[in-house]
Amino acid sequence: MSTPDLMRRAVCWLPLLAGLPVRAQAPIAVSLGTATPGGGFPVYGDAVARTVHRIDAGLQVQTRHTKGSTENIPLLEAGQLDLGLVQGEAVHEALAGIGRAPAQLSVVAAMYSTAGMFVVRADSPYRSISDLQGQRIAFGAKGSGLVILARYVLDGLGLDADKDFQAVYLDRAGDGPAMLADGRVAALWGGGSQWPGFVAAMGSPGGGRFIVPSEQEIERILARHAFLKRQTLAAGSYPGQAQALESVGSWSFILARPTLDAEIAYRFTRALHLGEQALARELPQASETRAVNTARHVPQPALLHPGTRRYLQEIGAL
């Protein structure tokens, strides 16, 4: 067969070849460190993983239980995690180099704001933070960022969790509500909207009641630790919580390891943004996970991962 005939036959086959399926590329696995079972981070991380995969099937976010914020940071630095959920106070200490060298990590998303507070049983005689002094208090899992938040809040009031309270640190965040219910602790420390520990405590048969800093105490805390911000927990965030509550806290973030590929960060940010509404429907706790909040609440714009910054610029969020 002559060369012109071969060329004509090849051209005839092109439309048929174009209809053949293209071999799919292998999905990219992205590890996401969360925290101990029973806390808010594992629930949030699983919801994020499902949301991202629905939007971008080529990204498979694989969640991993860890000890929480204080373990996620070194795991990210060592390249043993791609992404990690980190509570705001732990982010502050790591990036500012408090008690350690400054971490070279970047932000890919703002998660949600966390107003720190105590919950007691509804029949408890305790009404204020000073009432709780000397009592057994469950401050959370040992590696949780909520423990760091408690330390800053109490320090702003001239108090120390280990010296002025009988501090209890948990192996599992989910153990706290049962300890409160049966009287092993007088109060449980936690924070944020729809935090599982508070959901369990407020939804228990006897119910619960929150203890937050007074207005004067909030002013004292913010004067000493300016990186903390005033936070409001909306009324009805938990069963039996009829009034909005004022406290202090910060934003939690999804951080990335130093060497995370920019294209992966871009795709993750894009999928999370496009899935914002679905994520909020699945998990009300994640209703603040929005691209505009990432741009607005990142501690410094330079901390944004290059892939995240590229996407936020494309949608006009920066």
Side-chain angles (χ1 to χ4, degrees), residues 279-296:
L279 177 61
R281 286 194 298 269
E282 177 179 349
L283 186 67
Q285 176 187 359
S287 61
E288 292 181 306
T289 303
R290 300 170 55 206
V292 64
N293 283 333
T294 300
R296 181 179 301 154

Side-chain angles (χ1 to χ4, degrees), residues 69-80:
S69 297
T70 57
E71 185 180 30
N72 289 342
I73 290 169
L75 289 176
L76 287 168
E77 292 179 296
Q80 296 177 30

